Amino acid sequence: MDQLIRAIAQSGKLWRENSPDYEEALQLTWLYLCRNIENYDPARATVTTWLDAYLKARLKDLRLKRWQEQHHQSQPHPNSENPTDPIDNLPDTHPDIPPILEDTRQWAESDPDGGLSSTHIRGRPDITCQVLILRRLPPETEWIKLEAEFNCKVSTLATFYQRHCISFLRKFGESQGYL
């Protein structure tokens, strides 16, 4: 296992980025590799591609966790002497900002052209673009939880999401003028 990890690390093919969460995500990825090597399917992807998907998902999870922690810390303590939230006193300078998240959720739920519900992982009609988009909208369901729920590898779910769901989301965003 040590030789495999060294070979992957030295290949330079594993995702790299300069972020505060990278090292922790990388360690989680190595741990995942050690615990799940028997689940690796070389017919589906290379080891590096498999690990890249996991690593990117962990980075996303850690960013969300940090954001939630920062957001939580910025909220006034319920026992504080000032019961009003200072944010409530700020003037609304952008009243015309569209509710992009709610619009996106409504679009995904209604699936007006049926494309989201008819596009699915090969051999898994229960895992559609509609299902994954709705589960990954904030508050996001972690990839690892989706893996357990659907009994489908994170790499498969994440790759399908990148290849299919993102293009649907991009087209919707463009049609609404968000992009």
Side-chain angles (χ1 to χ4, degrees), residues 17-85:
E17 68 178 52
N18 186 15
S19 75
D21 300 315
Y22 182 79
E23 288 302 320
E24 184 178 353
L26 184 61
Q27 292 307 313
L28 290 171
T29 302
W30 295 136
L31 184 60
Y32 176 79
L33 172 66
C34 294
R35 290 181 176 168
N36 295 283
I37 190 69
E38 68 278 352
N39 296 330
Y40 168 64
D41 181 1
R44 297 191 104 164
T46 66
V47 174
T48 306
T49 302
W50 179 56
L51 291 177
D52 266 348
Y54 187 85
L55 175 60
K56 289 174 184 176
R58 294 301 65 79
L59 282 165
K60 198 171 194 180
D61 291 341
L62 290 169
R63 283 185 194 114
L64 177 62
K65 180 181 173 187
R66 189 165 13 88
W67 180 86
Q68 288 172 334
E69 288 170 354
Q70 289 172 346
H71 180 70
H72 178 69
Q73 290 171 356
S74 69
Q75 299 299 317
H77 191 275
N79 296 331
S80 70
E81 293 186 23
N82 182 2
T84 60
D85 186 345

